[in-house]
Amino acid sequence: MRCVIARYPFDLTKSEVEEMLKGIRPEQPVTGPCAVISRKLYPVKQVGEVITKQDRRDFTAFEVTRALTRLGFTCHETPPAPATPAPAPATENPTDSGPDSTSYIGTTLG
């Protein structure tokens, strides 16, 4: 698919992009626009630099994001939040003295 990045046309396929990034570690921490490529989260500027062989200042993150989306990659404006484990279910305590409790110890009735 023909993509224009930094005013230069590139004929790219999804498999070519995956092959270009094989063996390249994603920069950490990923804080801005990013893309999932081969189950790894890459900053789009890093991807753009690899696939265009140009300096990152020559193109915008939007240009690379648009090209990667058209190729079928999942892109995010910010990194997705890490999955957090579900909270443990609360167990009922029969000695609870919460608002539904019938214990009147220490209260003045009247």
Side-chain angles (χ1 to χ4, degrees):
M1 174 177 293
R2 182 167 289 257
C3 303
V4 176
I5 300 172
R7 298 181 316 269
Y8 292 100
F10 295 91
D11 288 318
L12 300 169
T13 64
K14 187 174 183 175
S15 60
E16 286 175 334
V17 172
E18 291 170 336
E19 188 63 33
M20 286 181 201
L21 290 168
K22 188 180 266 185
I24 296 177
R25 291 184 123 160
E27 295 171 353
Q28 297 297 328
V30 179
T31 57
C34 52
V36 178
I37 301 172
S38 300
R39 296 185 313 223
K40 295 179 187 172
L41 193 65
Y42 287 90
V44 294
K45 286 285 211 166
Q46 180 185 11
V47 175
E49 186 175 52
V50 171
I51 64 177
T52 66
K53 297 176 180 47
Q54 295 179 356
D55 190 275
R56 295 176 189 207
R57 295 172 290 183
D58 294 340
F59 52 84
T60 65
F62 177 76
E63 290 176 295
V64 179
T65 300
R66 181 179 55 209
L68 293 174
T69 302
R70 288 182 59 207
L71 289 170
F73 293 106
T74 302
C75 297
H76 304 279
E77 283 296 314
T78 57
T84 57
T91 57
E92 288 190 31
N93 187 352
T95 61
D96 187 16
S97 60
D100 295 331
S101 175
T102 55
S103 174
Y104 297 107
I105 299 174
T107 59
T108 306
L109 299 174

